[in-house]
Structures are given as structure tokens and as C-alpha cells.
Amino acid sequence: MTTYSRIEDAWEELEDFEGAPVIHPKYQCRMCGEPIEESFTRTSGVCFYCNKGKNEVGEFVDRIFTVSIYFKQTVTSDHELSKEIRAAKEGENVDKMSDILGWGMGRFTSLTETDILVPPPSGSGEEYNHMAEIGKRLSNKVGVELADVTYKLEDYSPQKDMDNQEDRKENVRGKVGCDKDLSDVSKAVVIDDIVTTCSTISDTARALKEAGVDTVYGLGIARTVSFEGLVHAEALEEVDNGN
Ligand SMILES: [Zn+2]
């Protein structure tokens, strides 16, 4: 089995979080939060996909910030924070997840003076909206109103059930609505757990902008990453190729 080690300079380990350690990539795409090479931060500042216009950032959601990283279940089963994030969908770890987002609210200067926090609507068949619960705790901690104002225009499946990037994007496109007049809201932050294609946050942001919000940012607990991507971003190095 190929194993990797962290290149320490590329990471910050966050303290005071219960359970699994929370690590934050220091060098991230300034549009979508994807970890990038340190040298990129001094040039374009964006990842390959944003550079090609393949991420849904910039049109409705002005920028997406992410605190930590997430490995898909199929890739690895031993990344502890990823397990905690998956369990959060079922109602576990609510406090810790709100703390992680709270760290982001305090850290990313664009998120200061936010008027409302908005959770995306849950997928069909999921009555429990874990992001609304996490958002309530976050709201109390950071003193920003939680506005659970979006809903599904039509049912869509949970994003985690989609097989690939294109299906995920198509799954939610144009399917989030908001009935409330938000023309007095200058800045909203859409909160989410795992940011993969950016499409859930983007479509929620579209609904908010149609309702009158000026600026919408996204804040995710973790950005989906691959080992290969992190090696490419010079954040991990291979220490054993398994031969
Ligand atoms: Zn990007």
C-alpha cells in the first residue's frame, strides 16, 4: 500500500477540537478552496479547474472557503476527520462541526460582517437537515443570524449518491428556491459540510441572489481531495510506493 506523509510547511494543525485532528491546508485556491502549490498563490492564485472555468464559483457564489480536507470513503477508510464528517450527516459531532466552521468564520477576513448564515436544503428522503442543526450552533457561537430560507424546488437525490462530478452538478442545478425577500441582506454565507463540485453551494447562492442578496460566500468544513492531488499541490509526499 502506498503511504504518504504530510509536508509540514503546507499545513496548519488546528487546536481545541474534540476527537480527530483538524488540519488546514495553508495554500488554497482563492476561488474554490482546493489545495494548490505555494508558488501558485503568488501567481494566478487559482487551481487548475477554476483556471479552466470548470468549477461553479464566481457566477453566483463569489468565493468558497474550506477549513479542512475530506477523503472519499472509497479511497480510504482511515482518515478520522472524514469519518466524523460522514457521521455528522446522521446527527453526530454537531458541536465539533460548528466549531470547525466557527474557526473559518474567524479566520477568513471576507466572512466578517456577514448578515446571515444559510444552510442548503437537504436532499430528498432526508428530513433531518444536519447543516441546519450545525448552523444553529454556529449562529450562537459567532453571533450571526441563521436563515434557513431555502427549499427544494423539486426533489433531488443526496449528492453523496451521485457517481461522478457531472451527475452531481446536474443533480442540483436550478433546483433550490427561496421565497423570502432578502433585498436588505448585503452578505450571506452558505455553509456546507463537504465541498466537492461546488454545485450545492452555487445553486443555493443563485437562489439567494435572486432573492436580493448582494454578495454570497461559501464556507465548507472540508474540501474533497485525493492523495494524488495533494502530492501535486506539494502538501503530501509519497514515502512508500508499496513495492
Ligand atoms: Zn479552484
Side-chain angles (χ1 to χ4, degrees):
M1 190 176 131
T2 309
T3 52
Y4 300 88
S5 77
R6 264 192 270 161
I7 295 173
E8 291 302 327
D9 285 353
W11 300 90
E12 190 173 340
E13 187 152 343
L14 311 187
E15 291 177 359
D16 299 326
F17 293 92
E18 295 292 320
V22 177
I23 49 173
H24 172 70
K26 277 190 202 166
Y27 310 112
Q28 291 178 293
C29 171
R30 64 171 170 77
M31 291 182 76
C32 77
E34 178 90 5
I36 57 174
E37 287 171 60
E38 190 262 340
S39 62
F40 278 27
T41 63
R42 285 181 267 115
T43 54
S44 72
V46 300
C47 72
F48 174 80
Y49 291 99
C50 287
N51 200 23
K52 299 275 180 212
K54 288 187 173 182
N55 279 333
E56 301 195 14
V57 181
E59 186 178 7
F60 303 115
V61 59
D62 293 84
R63 178 171 174 173
I64 295 177
F65 297 88
T66 52
V67 176
S68 196
I69 53 166
Y70 176 80
F71 288 103
K72 282 183 204 166
Q73 197 158 17
T74 48
V75 176
T76 176
S77 58
D78 59 5
H79 186 254
E80 292 296 329
L81 180 65
S82 295
K83 281 188 201 165
E84 289 186 352
I85 294 172
R86 283 194 291 275
K89 290 183 185 298
E90 315 300 328
E92 306 282 317
N93 309 321
V94 173
D95 218 42
K96 176 170 181 175
M97 296 302 141
S98 67
D99 279 342
I100 294 173
L101 290 173
W103 183 90
M105 289 296 290
R107 174 62 172 263
F108 304 119
T109 51
S110 300
L111 305 185
T112 53
E113 294 177 30
T114 293
D115 299 305
I116 54 171
L117 301 168
V118 181
S122 56
S124 65
E126 294 184 336
E127 285 313 310
Y128 175 72
N129 186 346
H130 65 292
M131 287 314 302
E133 292 304 313
I134 291 167
K136 279 182 204 163
R137 307 277 182 105
L138 176 65
S139 169
N140 288 336
K141 285 170 186 163
V142 300
V144 177
E145 180 194 344
L146 181 76
D148 192 0
V149 292
T150 61
Y151 60 92
K152 285 169 289 180
L153 286 170
E154 58 179 280
D155 272 354
Y156 58 84
S157 305
Q159 286 290 72
K160 64 180 165 59
D161 294 348
M162 296 294 109
D163 289 335
N164 58 54
Q165 303 277 98
E166 277 312 306
D167 286 354
R168 281 167 178 256
K169 285 183 188 174
E170 229 15 79
N171 189 41
V172 297
R173 198 189 304 274
K175 292 181 183 169
V176 178
C178 175
D179 278 341
K180 211 170 168 193
D181 174 13
L182 298 174
S183 50
D184 60 340
V185 175
S186 132
K187 191 193 290 183
V189 173
V190 177
I191 52 170
D192 207 356
D193 51 1
I194 303 163
V195 176
T196 302
T197 62
C198 307
S199 47
T200 304
I201 290 178
S202 172
D203 206 47
T204 305
R206 177 196 47 73
L208 295 176
K209 286 207 162 163
E210 286 171 4
V213 178
D214 291 330
T215 303
V216 182
Y217 289 114
L219 175 63
I221 293 167
R223 185 85 171 91
T224 300
V225 292
S226 64
F227 288 108
E228 295 75 14
L230 290 173
V231 169
H232 187 76
E234 299 175 349
L236 291 183
E237 59 188 342
E238 244 180 62
V239 290
D240 175 9
N241 67 7
N243 295 325

Short mmCIF file of all heavy atoms in Angstrom, two decimals, residues 29 31-34 46-47 49-50 55 223, ligand 1:
data_model
loop_
_atom_site.label_atom_id
_atom_site.label_comp_id
_atom_site.label_asym_id
_atom_site.label_seq_id
_atom_site.Cartn_x
_atom_site.Cartn_y
_atom_site.Cartn_z
N CYS A 29 -6.77 27.42 -3.31
CA CYS A 29 -7.30 28.20 -4.43
C CYS A 29 -8.15 29.35 -3.89
O CYS A 29 -9.00 29.13 -3.03
CB CYS A 29 -8.14 27.27 -5.31
SG CYS A 29 -9.06 28.14 -6.59
N MET A 31 -10.50 30.79 -5.22
CA MET A 31 -11.92 30.72 -5.61
C MET A 31 -12.65 29.56 -4.94
O MET A 31 -13.75 29.73 -4.44
CB MET A 31 -12.05 30.62 -7.14
CG MET A 31 -11.64 31.89 -7.85
SD MET A 31 -11.84 31.76 -9.64
CE MET A 31 -13.63 31.93 -9.76
N CYS A 32 -12.05 28.37 -4.95
CA CYS A 32 -12.81 27.18 -4.52
C CYS A 32 -12.26 26.47 -3.30
O CYS A 32 -12.89 25.53 -2.81
CB CYS A 32 -12.91 26.19 -5.67
SG CYS A 32 -11.40 25.23 -5.95
N GLY A 33 -11.10 26.84 -2.80
CA GLY A 33 -10.56 26.19 -1.60
C GLY A 33 -9.72 24.96 -1.85
O GLY A 33 -9.20 24.34 -0.92
N GLU A 34 -9.56 24.57 -3.11
CA GLU A 34 -8.71 23.40 -3.43
C GLU A 34 -7.27 23.68 -3.02
O GLU A 34 -6.75 24.77 -3.27
CB GLU A 34 -8.78 23.17 -4.95
CG GLU A 34 -7.93 22.05 -5.48
CD GLU A 34 -8.66 20.72 -5.51
OE1 GLU A 34 -9.87 20.69 -5.22
OE2 GLU A 34 -8.00 19.72 -5.82
N VAL A 46 -5.27 30.51 -8.36
CA VAL A 46 -6.40 29.58 -8.52
C VAL A 46 -5.93 28.20 -8.94
O VAL A 46 -4.82 28.03 -9.47
CB VAL A 46 -7.45 30.11 -9.53
CG1 VAL A 46 -8.03 31.44 -9.07
CG2 VAL A 46 -6.86 30.23 -10.93
N CYS A 47 -6.79 27.22 -8.73
CA CYS A 47 -6.46 25.84 -9.08
C CYS A 47 -6.69 25.61 -10.58
O CYS A 47 -7.26 26.46 -11.27
CB CYS A 47 -7.31 24.87 -8.25
SG CYS A 47 -9.05 24.82 -8.73
N TYR A 49 -8.79 23.69 -12.09
CA TYR A 49 -10.20 23.65 -12.51
C TYR A 49 -10.81 25.05 -12.57
O TYR A 49 -11.57 25.37 -13.49
CB TYR A 49 -11.01 22.73 -11.58
CG TYR A 49 -10.63 21.29 -11.76
CD1 TYR A 49 -9.74 20.67 -10.89
CD2 TYR A 49 -11.11 20.58 -12.85
CE1 TYR A 49 -9.36 19.36 -11.08
CE2 TYR A 49 -10.74 19.26 -13.05
CZ TYR A 49 -9.87 18.65 -12.17
OH TYR A 49 -9.49 17.36 -12.38
N CYS A 50 -10.50 25.88 -11.58
CA CYS A 50 -11.03 27.25 -11.62
C CYS A 50 -10.42 28.02 -12.78
O CYS A 50 -11.08 28.81 -13.45
CB CYS A 50 -10.76 27.96 -10.30
SG CYS A 50 -11.82 27.36 -8.97
N ASN A 55 -15.16 24.98 -12.30
CA ASN A 55 -15.86 24.97 -11.02
C ASN A 55 -16.95 26.03 -11.04
O ASN A 55 -16.81 27.06 -11.69
CB ASN A 55 -14.90 25.25 -9.86
CG ASN A 55 -14.13 24.02 -9.47
OD1 ASN A 55 -14.59 22.90 -9.65
ND2 ASN A 55 -12.94 24.23 -8.92
N ARG A 223 -12.84 20.22 2.01
CA ARG A 223 -12.78 20.12 0.56
C ARG A 223 -12.41 18.69 0.21
O ARG A 223 -11.45 18.13 0.76
CB ARG A 223 -11.69 21.08 0.04
CG ARG A 223 -11.58 21.17 -1.46
CD ARG A 223 -12.58 22.19 -1.96
NE ARG A 223 -12.40 22.52 -3.37
CZ ARG A 223 -13.02 21.88 -4.37
NH1 ARG A 223 -13.82 20.87 -4.13
NH2 ARG A 223 -12.84 22.27 -5.61
ZN ZN B 1 -10.27 26.40 -7.52
#
